[in-house]
Amino acid sequence: MTSEGADAAGTGRFTLDTRLSGALGGRTAQAVERAFGYRTVGDLLGHYPRRYALRGELTALASLPLDENVTIVAEVLEVRVREMRQRRGSILEAKISDGTGILTLTFFNQKWRENDLRPGRRGIFAGKVGDYRGARQLAHPDYELFDDSAPIAADAAAAKRWAEAPIPIYPATGTLASWQLAKAIALLLDGLGDLDDPVPDAVRQARSLLDQRRALEAIHRPEAEADWKSARRTLRFTEAFVLQAALLLRRAELRAHTTTARHPSVGGLLERFDASLHFSLTADQQEVGAEIADDLEHPVPMNRLVQGEVGSGKTVVALRAMLAVADSGGQSALLAPTEVLAAQHLRSIARLLGPELSASVVPTLLTGQLPAADRRKALLRAAAGQSRIVVGTHALIGDAVSFADLGLVVVDEQHRFGVEQREALRLKGQHPPHVLVLTATPIPRTVAMTVFGDLDVSTIRELPAGRAGIESHVVPLADRPGWRPRVWERLAEEVELGRQGFVVCPAIEARVAEDDGEAPDGEAEADAAVPAASVASVLAELEEHPRFTDKRVAPLHGRMSADEKEATMRAFAAGEIDVLVATTVIEVGVDVPNASAMVVVDADRFGVSQLHQLRGRVGRGSVPGLCLLVTSAEAGSLARQRVEAVAATLDGFELARVDLELRQEGDVLGAVQSGGRSSLKLLRVARDGDVIADAREVAAEVLAADPGLGRHAALAAEVRRRLDAEASGYLSKG
Ligand code: ADP
Ligand code: MG
């Protein structure tokens, strides 16, 4: 810490690291920390206005959302005070207007406000929008009236400036109004000492960016629109630059470790495997395979993300890496998000290896739910180095599991696996193992750069030839309520052709949602009052349906025990079940080539990438897939557009792009962007790809010339602040 709060207050000089308690006084500092988690001057100065209002502009009152906290600019129309009839006391009612709509403010026993709220005065009003007998009102709002003493006739220029000065509107809470934040921030700006700029001068000048100090001043206290606009541009670049520098530094730190280089051996397991494959690798598989092989041959821990469509053959690529490690005497751990998937991985690996190679590699399942004796055996095989490939869930990272020589960790589906877990694993071997992360969630380049900046990214775009394809249709019940029975008939037809199908529901029972992570957007949330279709309700519906009386239908969801789920999946894979009615537990990795039909009910309750993943469960073999996305969302609604986007293309990367476009800014990365100390502030990955790419290039240059940032103290300090704030949450999204 460079300065103590008390000293700073004494000298009137704050740094970005000064505690708010020393700069603002305890009560305000506490309120700010409670509301936003901010502790330092830098934290609060990073609380940028959400938008700017003008004194001359009035907020449209007609469209105010009920039950939400709003901050609006309006003019007082009239004020009335009346005595209450039932009990003692008075009610003051003020009507404010934007020129068309009217909103009533009510205050109890605060007659004196009559002096304030005089007709014709304008100001900012904040409060929760309520409804009283059909009229919109704010009960006990906070407000701040604009200064009446505007410099009028005497100084025309000053009057114009006053009228045009944008008023910052901050993200506020019920206890901290926008103007209270503005006042606190003004105090900080007044007391702020000189700032060193994290962005090097030359970089700034080449992009016509403001210096840090002026940018902070201009974003919080702009005199004109142009001020906050150039401030935003500056601070957006700075944010991207600091973030990229932080990610690149972390990556460099990871690379500073050494580990064992792994070479496949001549005539070894990998060669034998390649020779035994009954298909040839796609060009993408070969290319990504070569990238991985190259990483493994260096004594620097690999940290690579492989992204590729469902069914693009990532497992084969990962298996080849594991065999290269086995050739050099090392072991690999493959981590799956669930026990079902771990068991399935083990089966497909054993199948791909064939009996002979399996005997050398001894692929072993090691999960928490194994019977004690099996588990002991598996633990021994891992510890003795006999098993070259150990498959399990994240529990593999548990203390009880040790490896003879852990050379590679493969993580299937990165989004359930955080940085801390990667760290824990890294500590398991004598040397940190190489890490390979597989994901079927297509990640646009900008997101990959923003969130996974410390990972190298490989992409498999091409699907193996011979796929029969998937036909996708939206079933729009809002327009065609009669189509629902036809969905079940179509499903029955598939089964009667000897194929199998899935019906995926957002919930297990009428009220029990099963959501693993990807929240639908606000619009879908809004009709949460209508119960979602559930596994239970669909099962009941199919039971009644004449075409299903002779069909074998079974549930699969997260409330079943691991054994039950496993048994159900086995039965389905063996063709003993025709239709699985499931929640998204089947989202990832389930591989049954005979499954041809995927029906998603209430499809609008799922995210775009989730729907795409679900669809990937069918059409995996030579049987053509059919995907029916059933939705009650209205035509034209955002929810409906998302479902239509999924039906319109099979290209996951295109879908990821559309998804970014359709989403409201802010929820692309979920919590990452939703506010709080560690989130992105001005940067939006959907929009700012160019800025991020530019910033990354500059950050890389700076770090190449000055790896320890010894000559870039201000940048080093910003990076440290960023990493401190993120230590808990943000980066572990990776
Ligand atoms: P992913 O893990 O990316 O979803 P998998 O590795 O499970 O995909 O592959 C899906 C199916 O395609 C598997 O049955 C696999 O054996 C097969 N497969 C993988 N690569 C090829 C290829 N190059 N040619 C033909 N089939 C392939
Ligand atoms: Mg897979």
PDB file of all heavy atoms in Angstrom, residues 19 84 113 147 283 369 414 665 672:
ATOM      1  N   ARG A  19      -7.514   3.744   0.962  1.00  0.00           N
ATOM      2  CA  ARG A  19      -8.775   3.142   1.394  1.00  0.00           C
ATOM      3  C   ARG A  19      -9.883   4.183   1.360  1.00  0.00           C
ATOM      4  O   ARG A  19      -9.671   5.337   1.738  1.00  0.00           O
ATOM      5  CB  ARG A  19      -8.670   2.613   2.836  1.00  0.00           C
ATOM      6  CG  ARG A  19      -7.454   1.783   3.151  1.00  0.00           C
ATOM      7  CD  ARG A  19      -7.421   0.490   2.429  1.00  0.00           C
ATOM      8  NE  ARG A  19      -8.499  -0.430   2.827  1.00  0.00           N
ATOM      9  CZ  ARG A  19      -8.633  -1.654   2.316  1.00  0.00           C
ATOM     10  NH1 ARG A  19      -7.798  -2.074   1.392  1.00  0.00           N
ATOM     11  NH2 ARG A  19      -9.596  -2.438   2.726  1.00  0.00           N
ATOM     12  N   MET A  84     -54.374  13.266   6.453  1.00  0.00           N
ATOM     13  CA  MET A  84     -54.967  11.937   6.319  1.00  0.00           C
ATOM     14  C   MET A  84     -56.224  11.852   7.147  1.00  0.00           C
ATOM     15  O   MET A  84     -56.336  12.470   8.198  1.00  0.00           O
ATOM     16  CB  MET A  84     -53.964  10.872   6.762  1.00  0.00           C
ATOM     17  CG  MET A  84     -52.907  10.626   5.711  1.00  0.00           C
ATOM     18  SD  MET A  84     -51.890   9.208   6.084  1.00  0.00           S
ATOM     19  CE  MET A  84     -50.734   9.899   7.228  1.00  0.00           C
ATOM     20  N   ARG A 113     -41.373  19.685   2.219  1.00  0.00           N
ATOM     21  CA  ARG A 113     -40.852  19.518   0.864  1.00  0.00           C
ATOM     22  C   ARG A 113     -41.583  20.404  -0.140  1.00  0.00           C
ATOM     23  O   ARG A 113     -41.135  20.568  -1.266  1.00  0.00           O
ATOM     24  CB  ARG A 113     -40.954  18.060   0.430  1.00  0.00           C
ATOM     25  CG  ARG A 113     -40.015  17.153   1.192  1.00  0.00           C
ATOM     26  CD  ARG A 113     -39.927  15.785   0.570  1.00  0.00           C
ATOM     27  NE  ARG A 113     -39.177  14.870   1.414  1.00  0.00           N
ATOM     28  CZ  ARG A 113     -37.843  14.758   1.401  1.00  0.00           C
ATOM     29  NH1 ARG A 113     -37.129  15.499   0.561  1.00  0.00           N
ATOM     30  NH2 ARG A 113     -37.229  13.938   2.202  1.00  0.00           N
ATOM     31  N   ASP A 147     -29.960  23.037  -9.758  1.00  0.00           N
ATOM     32  CA  ASP A 147     -29.751  24.350  -9.185  1.00  0.00           C
ATOM     33  C   ASP A 147     -30.566  25.393  -9.952  1.00  0.00           C
ATOM     34  O   ASP A 147     -30.490  25.477 -11.165  1.00  0.00           O
ATOM     35  CB  ASP A 147     -28.247  24.664  -9.302  1.00  0.00           C
ATOM     36  CG  ASP A 147     -27.867  25.748  -8.323  1.00  0.00           C
ATOM     37  OD1 ASP A 147     -28.777  26.387  -7.775  1.00  0.00           O
ATOM     38  OD2 ASP A 147     -26.660  25.929  -8.123  1.00  0.00           O
ATOM     39  N   ALA A 283      -8.280 -33.397 -41.602  1.00  0.00           N
ATOM     40  CA  ALA A 283      -7.148 -32.466 -41.679  1.00  0.00           C
ATOM     41  C   ALA A 283      -7.026 -31.663 -40.386  1.00  0.00           C
ATOM     42  O   ALA A 283      -5.927 -31.430 -39.876  1.00  0.00           O
ATOM     43  CB  ALA A 283      -7.327 -31.527 -42.874  1.00  0.00           C
ATOM     44  N   GLN A 369     -17.847 -43.055  -6.708  1.00  0.00           N
ATOM     45  CA  GLN A 369     -18.942 -43.981  -6.461  1.00  0.00           C
ATOM     46  C   GLN A 369     -18.589 -45.443  -6.718  1.00  0.00           C
ATOM     47  O   GLN A 369     -19.454 -46.305  -6.663  1.00  0.00           O
ATOM     48  CB  GLN A 369     -20.133 -43.573  -7.325  1.00  0.00           C
ATOM     49  CG  GLN A 369     -20.504 -42.126  -7.114  1.00  0.00           C
ATOM     50  CD  GLN A 369     -21.993 -41.910  -6.967  1.00  0.00           C
ATOM     51  OE1 GLN A 369     -22.777 -42.837  -7.131  1.00  0.00           O
ATOM     52  NE2 GLN A 369     -22.392 -40.699  -6.650  1.00  0.00           N
ATOM     53  N   GLN A 414     -14.518 -27.415 -20.409  1.00  0.00           N
ATOM     54  CA  GLN A 414     -13.800 -26.518 -19.526  1.00  0.00           C
ATOM     55  C   GLN A 414     -14.685 -25.724 -18.590  1.00  0.00           C
ATOM     56  O   GLN A 414     -14.277 -25.357 -17.523  1.00  0.00           O
ATOM     57  CB  GLN A 414     -12.938 -25.575 -20.347  1.00  0.00           C
ATOM     58  CG  GLN A 414     -13.462 -24.165 -20.555  1.00  0.00           C
ATOM     59  CD  GLN A 414     -14.774 -24.088 -21.329  1.00  0.00           C
ATOM     60  OE1 GLN A 414     -15.073 -24.951 -22.133  1.00  0.00           O
ATOM     61  NE2 GLN A 414     -15.566 -23.074 -21.059  1.00  0.00           N
ATOM     62  N   GLU A 665     -26.001  -6.797 -23.985  1.00  0.00           N
ATOM     63  CA  GLU A 665     -24.640  -6.708 -23.492  1.00  0.00           C
ATOM     64  C   GLU A 665     -24.661  -7.056 -22.017  1.00  0.00           C
ATOM     65  O   GLU A 665     -25.617  -6.836 -21.319  1.00  0.00           O
ATOM     66  CB  GLU A 665     -24.059  -5.316 -23.706  1.00  0.00           C
ATOM     67  CG  GLU A 665     -24.700  -4.232 -22.870  1.00  0.00           C
ATOM     68  CD  GLU A 665     -23.933  -2.924 -23.058  1.00  0.00           C
ATOM     69  OE1 GLU A 665     -23.421  -2.681 -24.174  1.00  0.00           O
ATOM     70  OE2 GLU A 665     -23.842  -2.174 -22.093  1.00  0.00           O
ATOM     71  N   VAL A 672     -19.175 -12.713 -15.014  1.00  0.00           N
ATOM     72  CA  VAL A 672     -17.970 -11.953 -15.312  1.00  0.00           C
ATOM     73  C   VAL A 672     -18.284 -10.504 -15.636  1.00  0.00           C
ATOM     74  O   VAL A 672     -17.565  -9.594 -15.276  1.00  0.00           O
ATOM     75  CB  VAL A 672     -17.224 -12.582 -16.499  1.00  0.00           C
ATOM     76  CG1 VAL A 672     -15.994 -11.764 -16.841  1.00  0.00           C
ATOM     77  CG2 VAL A 672     -16.824 -13.986 -16.153  1.00  0.00           C
TER      78      VAL A 672
END
